[in-house]
Amino acid sequence: MVESNRTVERERLGTLIGLSRDVILVRDAAGLISYCSPAIEVALGYNPDQLCGTPQRDLVHPDDLPLRDAVAPRVLSSEGPQPIGELRMRHRNGSWRWFEMLETNRLDDPSVAGIVTNARDVTDRKGVEAALTERALHDTLTGLPNRTLLMDHLVLGLARTARRGDTLAVLYCDLDGFKGINDGFGHDVGDLALIEVARRLQQTLRTSDIVARVGGDEFVAVCDGFADPDEATMLAQRIRDDLEAPMSIDGNDIVVSVSIGILTVEGQAAGSAEPIALLRNADAAMYSAKEGGRARWEVFDAGLGAIEAQRTELEPELLRAVERREFALYYQPIVRLTDGVVVGAEALLRWHHPTRGMLSPEQFLDLAERTGVIVPIGAWVLSEACDQAARWRDDDLGPRWVAVNLSVRQVAESGLAATVAQTLAASGLPPDALWLELSEAALLRTGHLAATALVAVQALGVHLGMDDFGTGYASLLNLQRLPIDFLKINRSFIANLTGSDRGGNNAIVAAIVQLGATLDLTVIAEGIERPDEMNVLRSYGCPYGQGYLVAGPSPASHLSRPR
């Protein structure tokens, strides 16, 4: 009977291993494979018998062998499972597949007599990560680096300049009157013109330089290794001449001009230069060039620094704006994509400035974040949004929950959980009706601090989410490490979704929706503007979305409708 039970157990174990998609390998003390599970045939194309007796090292990519070998002593000295990390293994067809590896030393177990490797194919996940990283570091229209990659390059360039004692230049380029091209020829032609501008800039610059698209029609070049500052002005002249040459686009002859702000830093001064300040000052020089007649360049000097200082005059006004109740919240509906029912709303800040009129967040939030004024502003937004959401629920009108954006400063400040708890108590809003968002880049920047603070907030029953997912070039593993319940797909991925496109944005969005389902995360698509985008999202099973196709931001009264 005992032998019969053992036979049944062996058969059951063999069946379970045969059904597993994970690969199990056993190698002996000499490193030769003594066992392969059947999954090896699906994962790498080999029949198990083909690999038995061969060195397991032969399967590993040469570049990954140092990592594997570095872990080997730890595996030999421990009885428990030891994670190796992610390695590439050779498929029978010659391609390389990524695997997540775990090894356990069972050399002393006579039933195994080897080191057991558990390997899970993560090639598809790595592909999505690579695509997200590419998108997070590059402009989707022109393919140029974006601001994130530009700043990384600027930091490295400053270090080289300080070490070598030569000159680094930042050239801030803004196309003159580009709105007229979009208005006169259409946005499609405008996009093609921007692509051509990007191509010409790359041709004009040296291969060691970098040019990034940092705004709609704004480009920044960073060039180090110049012998003296005059080289920067000569480069600006070449850029202006090259861009002013007529371009033929879709049957239209288009001519653009450019205003350029130049900032240079030399030698040891580069070692103490602040990258953000350099970019800001080059921007100030560019505005001076525009004010001086456009199609020209201006070199930054101390006088232009005063212009930049004027922009900081908003700081005391920001503080007074809370007291004077100059802020207002607009709300953008979030709908269930299957039937279009409004389920939630995102609170969006607006500033009714007494002399400058209505200001969007882009015009003051960076300053508020930098100066810390964002903390009292954020507290007001949280309180106002919770009060409004509670009124909607009490009257059985409008959305059932409200989404509020958190700033990095709010997370960094101690007592975030206490502030949220007090606000909920004061408003009477149930915790699960509050959805707090933090951008992916901000989550990565705050790191462990964010995780610690947000775990305490999540314990209240509040939903926590990652906004602008896909723009922070984080590993997808961060989705499991951070305490989040939902993620919002950045609008750049939603743009140009079509039913016929099975690559590009479509593939990434489909993968993100599937990833959300796998990790039990609610997925919300941002920036839906066309019916075909909505249809594609529905076909992928994306549960929620928002955008101008549904409704733009509006006062709370516009959403106070019976459900």
Side-chain angles (χ1 to χ4, degrees):
M1 175 64 79
V2 174
E3 184 61 32
S4 175
N5 288 341
R6 288 176 178 170
T7 301
V8 170
E9 286 300 317
R10 283 196 296 269
E11 290 177 352
R12 178 182 298 158
L13 181 60
T15 300
L16 292 175
I17 292 175
L19 292 174
S20 174
R21 297 181 64 184
D22 291 354
V23 175
I24 300 175
L25 299 173
V26 180
R27 68 176 185 273
D28 60 20
L32 302 179
I33 297 174
S34 58
Y35 172 79
C36 293
S37 66
I40 195 74
E41 192 158 6
V42 175
L44 292 176
Y46 299 101
N47 184 290
D49 294 337
Q50 291 178 279
L51 294 180
C52 286
T54 65
Q56 187 177 338
R57 287 175 58 88
D58 290 353
L59 288 175
V60 180
H61 193 287
D63 293 344
D64 297 336
L65 282 173
L67 173 61
R68 178 185 177 279
D69 293 343
V71 179
R74 192 171 74 231
V75 175
L76 290 173
S77 63
S78 174
E79 294 182 357
Q82 296 296 314
I84 294 183
E86 295 172 349
L87 305 178
R88 287 162 289 182
M89 291 203 291
R90 187 186 66 251
H91 194 280
R92 187 181 180 186
N93 63 16
S95 64
W96 295 98
R97 305 287 296 178
W98 280 98
F99 284 84
E100 201 171 63
M101 311 283 281
L102 191 72
E103 291 199 336
T104 307
N105 182 1
R106 305 295 291 178
L107 285 167
D108 295 335
D109 184 344
S111 65
V112 179
I115 294 175
V116 180
T117 300
N118 291 83
R120 172 171 297 178
D121 191 330
V122 294
T123 306
D124 291 343
R125 192 193 76 195
K126 295 290 287 187
V128 173
E129 284 184 356
L132 290 176
T133 299
E134 176 70 15
R135 291 292 297 269
L137 295 175
H138 292 82
D139 171 53
T140 55
L141 175 65
T142 64
L144 292 179
N146 63 10
R147 185 182 293 268
T148 301
L149 190 53
L150 173 77
M151 297 307 292
D152 289 345
H153 189 92
L154 181 53
V155 170
L156 294 174
L158 288 169
R160 288 192 296 265
T161 299
R163 185 172 64 251
R164 296 183 307 223
D166 49 25
T167 300
L168 176 142
V170 178
L171 288 83
Y172 205 114
C173 309
D174 184 274
L175 303 182
D176 298 322
F178 190 76
K179 184 176 182 295
I181 295 176
N182 282 330
D183 293 343
F185 299 99
H187 285 273
D188 289 343
V189 171
D191 286 348
L192 292 174
L194 289 173
I195 292 171
E196 174 62 14
V197 167
R199 188 190 68 79
R200 293 186 182 188
L201 285 171
Q202 287 178 304
Q203 280 191 331
T204 304
L205 297 173
R206 304 167 303 175
T207 55
S208 59
D209 300 330
I210 186 173
V211 59
R213 184 184 179 210
V214 297
D217 58 356
E218 296 178 347
F219 301 83
V220 173
V222 173
C223 316
D224 65 277
F226 284 165
D228 57 63
D230 290 341
E231 288 193 46
T233 56
M234 289 187 288
L235 176 59
Q237 175 70 56
R238 291 198 302 272
I239 289 174
R240 192 189 72 171
D241 293 344
D242 289 347
L243 292 188
E244 286 184 349
M247 54 181 85
S248 179
I249 298 177
D250 201 21
N252 302 290
D253 289 328
I254 294 175
V255 177
V256 299
S257 65
V258 61
S259 296
I260 304 173
I262 304 172
L263 180 138
T264 60
V265 59
E266 300 177 70
Q268 293 302 311
S272 58
E274 288 292 335
I276 291 293
L278 297 184
L279 200 61
R280 186 169 61 244
N281 291 339
D283 186 25
M286 181 272 293
Y287 273 106
S288 178
K290 281 190 177 293
E291 292 168 358
R294 303 189 176 192
R296 55 192 298 274
W297 65 84
E298 188 80 45
V299 179
F300 179 83
D301 60 22
L304 290 177
I307 297 175
E308 175 60 25
Q310 292 175 5
R311 297 180 187 178
T312 64
E313 290 179 358
L314 280 177
E315 181 179 348
E317 297 180 25
L318 275 171
L319 280 170
R320 292 193 296 268
V322 177
E323 302 167 1
R324 297 174 178 177
R325 303 187 64 83
E326 293 172 357
F327 289 116
L329 289 186
Y330 279 40
Y331 297 87
Q332 186 168 33
I334 298 171
V335 301
R336 191 166 54 218
L337 295 188
T338 53
D339 54 15
V341 171
V342 175
V343 292
E346 180 179 3
L348 300 169
L349 185 62
R350 298 291 185 268
W351 183 6
H352 293 288
H353 192 279
T355 60
R356 305 186 189 195
M358 178 76 82
L359 300 182
S360 66
E362 291 79 11
Q363 295 172 277
F364 61 86
L365 278 190
D366 283 346
L367 176 63
E369 182 83 41
R370 189 167 67 245
T371 58
V373 181
I374 192 65
V375 175
I377 293 176
W380 177 86
V381 170
L382 182 65
S383 175
E384 186 74 11
C386 287
D387 287 345
Q388 180 58 60
R391 287 193 292 271
W392 279 330
R393 292 175 69 94
D394 290 344
D395 298 337
D396 200 28
L397 299 172
R400 299 297 293 171
W401 49 264
V402 66
V404 176
N405 291 278
L406 290 177
S407 71
V408 172
R409 285 282 190 131
Q410 285 175 282
V411 175
E413 292 284 328
S414 60
L416 175 62
T419 299
V420 173
Q422 292 166 6
T423 304
L424 288 171
S427 66
L429 185 70
D432 64 354
L434 176 60
W435 295 41
L436 297 177
E437 306 176 13
L438 195 64
S439 72
E440 180 181 6
L443 277 167
L444 296 176
R445 199 157 68 244
T446 51
H448 176 70
L449 179 64
T452 303
L454 296 179
V455 163
V457 173
Q458 194 179 54
L460 301 173
V462 172
H463 293 276
L464 293 172
M466 183 183 289
D467 192 16
D468 291 332
F469 178 68
T471 63
Y473 69 107
S475 165
L476 299 184
L477 292 176
N478 282 295
L479 294 179
Q480 296 171 292
R481 295 172 181 157
L482 293 168
I484 63 172
D485 309 301
F486 69 96
L487 59 86
K488 300 181 80 170
I489 307 175
N490 182 262
R491 63 174 61 96
S492 66
F493 293 96
I494 307 304
N496 301 318
L497 284 181
T498 65
S500 59
D501 176 20
R502 295 307 174 195
N505 285 4
N506 285 64
I508 293 176
V509 170
I512 293 174
V513 172
Q514 181 58 48
L515 185 70
T518 301
L519 299 180
D520 196 26
L521 300 174
T522 299
V523 177
I524 303 171
E526 296 182 287
I528 307 173
E529 297 186 357
R530 303 198 320 268
D532 52 346
E533 294 169 355
M534 177 78 81
N535 292 335
V536 171
L537 288 165
R538 284 172 173 159
S539 71
Y540 290 157
C542 183
Y544 300 110
Q546 63 185 111
Y548 280 89
L549 180 66
V550 177
S554 61
S557 58
H558 291 197
L559 275 74
S560 299
R561 303 283 189 271
R563 289 186 306 279

